[in-house]
Amino acid sequence: MLELKSIHARYGAIKALRGITLEVKEGEMVALIGVNGAGKSTTLATIAGVLRPVEGMITFLDESIAGKPPEAIARRGISLVPEGRAILASLTVEENLRLGAFIRRNHQEYLMDLEENFSLFPILKERFYQLGGTLSGGEQQQLAIARALMSHPKLLMLDEPSLGLAPLIVDQIFDLIKTLHNRGVTILLVEQNVDRTLEIVDRAYLLNTGTIQTSGSASQIRSQVDIEGVYLGDQKRD
Amino acid sequence: MLTIDFLINTISLGSLYAMLALGLVIVYGILKLVNFAYGELLMIAGYALYVLGGLNTSLPWFVIAILAVLIAAAVSYLTEMIAFRPVREKSLTAMLITSFAVSTLLQNAALLIISPRARAVPLPAIFSQSVAIAGTDIPIRNILSIITAVVLFGALSLLLKYTVLGIALRAAADDFRMTRLLGVPANLVISAAFIISGFFAGVVAIFWTGRTASVTPTIGAAPLLVAFVACVIGGMTNLLGAVVGGYLYGIIYSLLSLWLPQYLLDYREAFMFLIVILILLFRPIGLIRGNTTSERIG
């Protein structure tokens, strides 16, 4: 479904990605793990078109999307929930969700999707007319995911969905991601919470300083992570 | 001392300033660009009035005025497409300099093609008429500008609140990157912002040129400054701030005209800026705060 071939990208003078090659198949849930600054978020940003790769190929559904603007990539079915959630704070929950459905435009379907989201995220129904900025962190994360789902993405990319949330909420978020995956949504997940992530994903890539250090099934990576426990173990909180 | 005619004239002036400020801030909100070519959009509308009025068409003035406003909106859109779009991804400084270039270019075009001297614009009879309200004569022009402002602010609010484009415009002012990630084309919102901006400039131009019944190549300088200062007073981060700033500017200006002794009247602008500096000393972000993205813990 999604394929990256030796992607290089930079933030100004800093080389953030040095040859990332990875693949996500339809229906899979794949994780990118690694320490801060390994290039996980940058990889997602590059796929989503926020960052233009200097070199390399990105193919999505047999079409090259490297260098295309974010709105064009969103229209092709890739949805990114960025780190920090990026809730449109001065818009209501309703308006956030409406914009989530921007590329769909069918009002009947919009209403149906809304109902579906309410069953998944009951809190959003309660907060429907509240401003996005007045929601708590966990609520915002739910809104961000719900908003992404409104576009019926073929590939959902989540960047640190559990970051900064209370432990109880973190559980909810992980349950939710699992539910989405079981429903058939293809997911590319970036998480610092490595243990929890490896419990739910099919495969994972371990990134280090802008390159793929190793990759494999969740259990394979888990054994590696255990070996390199010192390296990956205690970097969850900053 | 605060008579009804003073009141109406002040609100009228404030309405013009508020519309000016709004047109400037709607682009700023999204691109963070102070469009220094904004004043030239008023000039364009003024010359459109002059040219269309001189063509001896049998069109009623009202139609000519609407055409002039639409031309200003169209030119605003064209400047975005031709001048700003190519440099948009480079840097904000590049855009700022581009806006100066566009401003100079349009001014010089007017100098070259038309004339450095003032040209007369057609005005309808009602612009020089007055009505008696509570015993005082009120220029109809002033009442019209108030009504226009109220109608346009209302229309814009509806657009921003109830249409998908409007929601996208507000979203873009909030977080442009995220808005694009949701599939909203950058060009769509930016073009829309420039068109609305040009529209407001055009409407104000009708009233602005109506005061002297003439247009010059440099007519845009004063309204640009007014719009900028009004935005700074009110707060650059939201549309309501711009409107409040515009009215406040009008009120302060009118009061200065009323209270300053005759020999100081020429220094009205200096006093105006003194007050602006004082406001900024106490409210550096302007009077109306933008949307703060604070988050509850939980």
Side-chain angles (χ1 to χ4, degrees):
Chain A
M1 184 178 225
L2 176 78
E3 215 181 333
L4 273 69
K5 263 192 195 142
S6 53
I7 284 292
H8 291 251
R10 49 171 72 241
Y11 278 118
I14 302 158
K15 257 197 136 189
L17 301 182
R18 316 181 216 196
I20 297 283
T21 299
L22 61 83
E23 185 190 15
V24 181
K25 295 198 187 77
E26 187 153 6
E28 259 190 327
M29 171 142 65
V30 176
L32 304 181
I33 54 177
V35 291
N36 274 329
K40 309 180 300 284
S41 295
T42 311
T43 304
L44 295 194
T46 310
I47 297 169
V50 175
L51 208 62
R52 218 167 264 181
V54 204
E55 214 185 302
M57 269 173 37
I58 306 176
T59 346
F60 181 64
L61 298 172
D62 303 320
E63 190 188 2
S64 167
I65 55 164
K68 290 211 159 40
E71 56 262 35
I73 291 171
R75 271 170 196 282
R76 282 170 173 76
I78 298 183
S79 191
L80 170 67
V81 178
E83 187 179 345
R85 308 180 273 276
I87 288 305
L88 299 159
S90 65
L91 269 58
T92 62
V93 169
E94 176 188 21
E95 290 165 342
N96 267 283
L97 293 172
R98 236 180 119 180
L99 272 193
F102 183 85
I103 59 173
R104 292 172 48 81
R105 289 295 174 82
N106 180 325
H107 197 66
Q108 214 52 46
E109 283 175 26
Y110 164 74
L111 293 176
M112 277 161 55
D113 293 348
L114 215 51
E115 282 310 315
E116 173 132 16
N117 262 324
F118 286 158
S119 67
L120 223 49
F121 312 93
I123 190 71
L124 296 184
K125 189 166 190 171
E126 240 171 85
R127 302 264 186 267
F128 200 49
Y129 298 108
Q130 258 176 254
L131 292 183
T134 65
L135 267 54
S136 71
E139 291 163 359
Q140 288 193 356
Q141 188 60 61
Q142 294 183 51
L143 174 57
I145 295 173
R147 185 177 61 184
L149 291 177
M150 291 299 286
S151 69
H152 283 210
K154 299 188 179 98
L155 172 67
L156 178 65
M157 301 197 293
L158 303 170
D159 194 353
E160 306 275 9
S162 77
L163 192 73
L165 299 181
L168 205 69
I169 314 287
V170 172
D171 290 347
Q172 280 179 24
I173 295 291
F174 272 98
D175 284 347
L176 174 72
I177 296 171
K178 217 157 68 185
T179 309
L180 291 176
H181 179 47
N182 289 340
R183 290 187 177 196
V185 184
T186 311
I187 298 174
L188 182 56
L189 174 66
V190 162
E191 256 294 335
Q192 299 246 353
N193 200 334
V194 176
D195 289 342
R196 302 291 299 272
T197 302
L198 291 178
E199 277 169 26
I200 59 169
V201 298
D202 303 313
R203 291 191 300 119
Y205 291 87
L206 175 62
L207 273 71
N208 190 15
T209 58
T211 56
I212 304 269
Q213 189 171 331
T214 177
S215 67
S217 69
S219 52
Q220 285 171 330
I221 294 287
R222 182 185 288 277
S223 58
Q224 298 237 14
V225 168
D226 284 344
I227 295 163
E228 300 174 48
V230 184
Y231 165 61
L232 271 174
D234 193 32
Q235 35 74 26
K236 278 176 244 167
R237 301 274 164 263
D238 24 47
Chain B
M1 203 137 124
L2 295 177
T3 53
I4 182 113
D5 61 328
F6 174 81
L7 212 68
I8 289 184
N9 294 342
T10 301
I11 298 174
S12 158
L13 193 67
S15 298
L16 289 187
Y17 291 174
M19 285 191 279
L20 270 179
L22 193 64
L24 190 68
V25 99
I26 196 154
V27 167
Y28 178 84
I30 291 170
L31 283 182
K32 307 294 169 246
L33 163 75
V34 179
N35 182 8
F36 282 97
Y38 182 59
E40 275 57 51
L41 298 173
L42 277 92
M43 179 204 77
I44 296 280
Y47 279 113
L49 274 180
Y50 158 69
V51 172
L52 291 171
L55 285 180
N56 250 337
T57 51
S58 52
L59 293 174
W61 177 84
F62 186 66
V63 175
I64 291 180
I66 289 179
L67 283 175
V69 172
L70 293 181
I71 288 171
V75 169
S76 181
Y77 171 62
L78 286 177
T79 60
E80 188 271 316
M81 219 169 62
I82 298 167
F84 294 111
R85 194 173 294 183
V87 294
R88 201 166 68 204
E89 295 200 347
K90 304 289 188 291
S91 75
L92 192 52
T93 320
M95 278 211 288
L96 201 63
I97 292 170
T98 303
S99 82
F100 278 113
V102 172
S103 164
T104 313
L105 203 78
L106 290 175
Q107 263 189 46
N108 283 308
L111 278 172
L112 213 67
I113 299 168
I114 301 175
S115 162
R117 293 221 303 246
R119 287 286 182 255
V121 297
L123 289 179
I126 52 163
F127 260 47
S128 41
Q129 290 166 353
S130 302
V131 283
I133 295 178
T136 31
D137 282 343
I138 311 287
I140 292 181
R141 186 160 55 86
N142 289 355
I143 298 171
L144 276 180
S145 59
I146 296 173
I147 295 172
T148 308
V150 170
V151 169
L152 289 185
F153 293 153
L156 185 65
S157 308
L158 291 178
L159 173 91
L160 290 175
K161 207 165 164 52
Y162 295 109
T163 68
V164 177
L165 176 68
I167 297 173
L169 274 167
R170 279 157 51 217
D174 209 340
D175 184 342
F176 197 26
R177 195 181 67 117
M178 190 59 231
T179 307
R180 295 182 72 182
L181 280 172
L182 294 175
V184 180
N187 289 339
L188 174 77
V189 279
I190 293 172
S191 297
F194 269 90
I195 288 170
I196 294 170
S197 172
F199 185 86
F200 273 95
V203 169
V204 175
I206 306 293
F207 291 100
W208 198 277
T209 56
R211 299 198 296 198
T212 55
S214 66
V215 54
T216 63
T218 53
I219 197 170
L224 170 70
L225 193 63
V226 169
F228 186 57
V229 172
C231 291
V232 171
I233 299 176
M236 293 291 277
T237 48
N238 73 42
L239 301 179
L240 180 67
V243 171
V244 170
Y247 278 103
L248 212 61
Y249 192 113
I251 291 167
I252 299 172
Y253 197 81
S254 292
L255 286 176
L256 283 175
S257 309
L258 190 68
W259 288 338
L260 283 180
Q262 193 64 44
Y263 65 97
L264 281 178
L265 265 187
D266 284 345
Y267 300 101
R268 209 161 31 180
E269 316 284 335
F271 281 95
M272 186 71 222
F273 279 96
L274 193 70
I275 292 168
V276 171
I277 290 169
L278 285 177
I279 291 177
L280 288 184
L281 267 180
F282 293 101
R283 294 282 300 195
I285 49 156
L287 292 173
I288 309 284
R289 201 188 296 248
N291 308 295
T292 45
T293 1
S294 56
E295 174 190 302
R296 285 197 287 122
I297 309 294

